Amino acid sequence: MREYIARLPRLIAGSRRATIDTIEPFEPAVSPRQPIDLTDDAAVTEVLNLAIQVGAVLLDSGTGAIDTQMQVRFVASMYGVENCEVDVTYNTIWVSARRGTSMPPVTAMRSVHYRSLDFTRLAAVDRLVRKIRNLAIDPGEAHTVIDAIIAAPHPYRRWVATLAWASMAGALAVLLGGGWLVAVVAFLTTAVIDRTNRLLNKIGTPLFFQQMTGGFIAVIPAAIVYENRETLGVDIKPSLVIAAGVVVLLSGLSLVGSVQDAITGAPITGCARFFELLIMTGGIISGVGIAIRLMEATGIYLPTITSTTEFDLANTPVRVVAGGTAAAAFAVASYAEFRALPTAFIGGAMGAAIVATAGHYNFGPVISAGIAASMVGLVGGLLARRALTPPLVVAVAGITPLLPGLAIYRGLYGLISGQTIDGLTAFGSAIGVGCSLAAGVTLGEFVARTLRRPRIPTRPTRALLTARSGIRPGRMTGEPDVDPDAVTQPLRKSDVRPGLTDRRI
């Protein structure tokens, strides 16, 4: 029993570390695994293009600019291109390799055009970087893999993602205190939003108008059901349905990446991302406002919300389960690997539990959100090692149920109904909660990144055996303490797209 208790922290922290966690930003690169001839322009260009393609996938998935720079520079250094400058500005990646005073530098550039979130693609690139580091594969083979990763379709069909978005909205409605009817209406409304926005995306509609359309649709079903509640014999709070729809629309935006860039030393990219986030949020607000005015013009008035209006939140166990379910559903909707779903569920459930506990002691929404996000970033980063999942997947999924959709709706309703001060206060609270979530996740990930696997004191004989042989305590064989997934296995087809079942482009 003592041995199992001693091993528990190791099981939580994991023996593996995320790829980004193993890169030291201020230390020289390790010895090149597959050095190339730096006098060969074609070879250097091939390496830079490989590194920049890796960075493009990371940036497209919401990774911060500094982390993207580090991994791009790391991939280049694995092939001996160590003296290179990397600059990531918003959606552009520049890489320039200097080759001394007698030869001109080689420069590569790539613009990242945002696609739908695909965390499986992010995980596949993470594994590719591990292979480059540990197996010393040549640039040509690595190019083949990264090209296949980028060109591969999503790992499962689109209707599965639609069901996941809808399930996320239903869980959020329960998290906010709604009953089964609110959850069903939120589920159906979000399914319609997702399919409609998909059609708009096919014809090239700008994202702002997609967000506006989603906000508009979020109001209509809830208002109609509320107006006919006596005829149907039901009771519904339309504000909860609308808030759930707003959170779903907000969840696809790069909140974590924008604030993380501003904190970690990329202010230009951070400001650009945050401004884009505000514009997209403005689209949601515009759609909701237009729908409310349209409903009032037809004689349908939503319940009045004032600064004293209270929403009966669900009890703590229900909120914990609902938060975990919403996080796991978001991970599915973002095409995460199935191995990441339990970790995402734990992150969401833990965040909801911390917010519920902090709210009980009147910590306030901003402080509660910061504490919860810090723990999600810390514990999620450690648990992500066990699932061989990039920590970003767990962090984004874990804080998604905590996004301030209800505060945004409260602020919008206040501005529309002439309660300007209450509306601006609610909007300020929403911005504060959003920034607190992103900053808390950044802090938690930083601590998780610097926290190495703990060494638990054991019996002297076992400690001496470990020191002499290099074998971890508890092992029955003499295999070394390395990452078996990254070192002992060659490249496989599954490294390109594990679990691929859909050929839709």
Side-chain angles (χ1 to χ4, degrees):
M1 180 60 69
R2 290 176 57 189
E3 179 179 343
Y4 286 106
I5 294 175
R7 293 177 59 186
L8 181 60
R10 290 196 297 269
L11 293 176
I12 296 176
S15 59
R16 308 179 180 100
R17 306 178 72 197
T19 302
I20 185 60
D21 294 354
T22 63
I23 301 174
E24 300 294 342
F26 304 112
E27 293 184 5
V30 296
S31 300
R33 295 293 191 266
Q34 188 72 261
I36 62 171
D37 183 6
L38 295 180
T39 63
D40 187 346
D41 291 350
V44 176
T45 302
E46 183 182 31
V47 169
L48 295 187
N49 285 333
L50 171 63
I52 214 168
Q53 281 185 294
V54 170
V57 175
L58 297 175
L59 195 63
D60 179 56
S61 302
T63 304
I66 300 302
D67 286 349
T68 301
Q69 289 180 11
M70 290 170 57
Q71 296 214 46
V72 169
R73 188 177 292 110
F74 180 76
V75 171
S77 68
M78 289 295 97
Y79 296 101
V81 186
E82 299 181 4
N83 192 15
C84 64
E85 299 293 335
V86 181
D87 180 57
V88 178
T89 304
Y90 187 46
N91 65 338
T92 304
I93 304 176
W94 289 85
V95 183
S96 180
R98 292 178 294 181
R99 300 179 293 172
T101 58
S102 60
M103 300 187 66
V106 178
T107 302
M109 186 274 289
R110 185 182 183 94
S111 295
V112 179
H113 302 287
Y114 291 100
R115 303 168 60 184
S116 59
L117 283 177
D118 191 333
F119 286 148
T120 294
R121 183 181 298 119
L122 178 64
V125 169
D126 185 85
R127 280 192 293 273
L128 172 61
V129 176
R130 289 175 181 267
K131 302 295 183 182
I132 294 174
R133 180 187 63 193
N134 297 309
L135 295 181
I137 61 176
D138 60 77
E141 186 178 359
H143 259 294
T144 301
V145 176
I146 190 65
D147 290 340
I149 290 173
I150 295 175
H154 294 309
Y156 35 82
R157 299 183 182 277
R158 177 65 191 184
W159 64 264
V160 176
T162 299
L163 289 179
W165 286 120
S167 301
M168 174 183 167
L172 289 171
V174 174
L175 176 65
L176 295 173
W180 67 270
L181 180 61
V182 174
V184 170
V185 175
F187 180 95
L188 297 176
T189 302
T190 303
V192 174
I193 291 173
D194 182 73
R195 302 309 299 183
T196 302
N197 281 348
R198 175 165 173 77
L199 293 176
L200 294 177
N201 188 59
K202 278 186 174 182
I203 62 176
T205 305
L207 183 58
F208 175 85
F209 297 106
Q210 295 183 36
Q211 296 290 87
M212 180 185 293
T213 303
F216 182 87
I217 297 175
V219 176
I220 305 301
I224 294 176
V225 174
Y226 176 77
E227 179 67 17
N228 297 277
R229 64 189 183 282
E230 295 181 357
T231 303
L232 299 174
V234 297
D235 186 19
I236 187 174
K237 292 182 178 180
S239 55
L240 302 183
V241 178
I242 298 171
V246 169
V247 172
V248 171
L249 292 170
L250 287 173
S251 62
L253 305 180
S254 57
L255 172 64
V256 175
S258 61
V259 177
Q260 186 181 36
D261 287 337
I263 293 175
T264 57
I268 297 178
T269 303
C271 289
R273 281 186 169 186
F274 194 74
F275 183 74
E276 180 187 43
L277 174 67
L278 293 180
I279 293 296
M280 296 302 105
T281 304
I284 301 172
I285 294 173
S286 300
V288 172
I290 293 172
I292 291 176
R293 287 303 190 190
L294 179 62
M295 291 293 99
E296 291 178 351
T298 59
I300 300 177
Y301 293 88
L302 297 177
T304 302
I305 298 178
T306 65
S307 59
T308 59
T309 303
E310 295 183 358
F311 295 91
D312 297 329
L313 297 177
N315 56 55
T316 301
V318 174
R319 294 183 69 182
V320 170
V321 174
T325 302
F330 173 77
V332 174
S334 301
Y335 301 103
E337 296 176 312
F338 285 108
R339 68 170 70 180
L341 301 187
T343 308
F345 179 89
I346 293 174
M350 181 179 59
I354 294 175
V355 167
T357 304
H360 178 72
Y361 291 100
N362 298 321
F363 276 86
V366 176
I367 297 178
S368 301
I371 296 174
S374 298
M375 292 304 299
V376 168
L378 171 60
V379 179
L382 297 178
L383 292 177
R385 303 175 184 179
R386 303 299 305 176
L388 282 179
T389 301
L392 178 67
V393 178
V394 182
V396 175
I399 69 168
T400 293
L402 308 180
L403 293 174
L406 192 56
I408 290 177
Y409 174 67
R410 188 196 293 264
L412 174 62
Y413 192 92
L415 294 180
I416 291 177
S417 60
Q419 305 169 21
T420 306
I421 296 179
D422 292 340
L424 293 178
T425 301
F427 275 130
S429 176
I431 294 175
V433 169
C435 293
S436 181
L437 288 173
V441 165
T442 302
L443 176 62
E445 286 186 341
F446 173 77
V447 175
R449 186 171 298 173
T450 56
L451 181 63
R452 297 184 178 275
R453 182 164 58 92
R455 298 296 181 184
I456 307 300
T458 55
R459 289 177 294 179
T461 54
R462 295 179 60 81
L464 182 60
L465 175 63
T466 303
R468 291 179 177 176
S469 63
I471 304 173
R472 292 200 303 253
R475 282 193 177 273
M476 300 303 295
T477 61
E479 59 187 65
D481 185 8
V482 294
D483 182 357
D485 184 81
V487 179
T488 61
Q489 299 178 12
L491 281 174
R492 303 183 304 271
K493 185 178 181 180
S494 60
D495 292 325
V496 176
R497 179 66 62 187
L500 183 61
T501 58
D502 179 23
R503 302 305 302 172
R504 183 186 58 76
I505 302 298

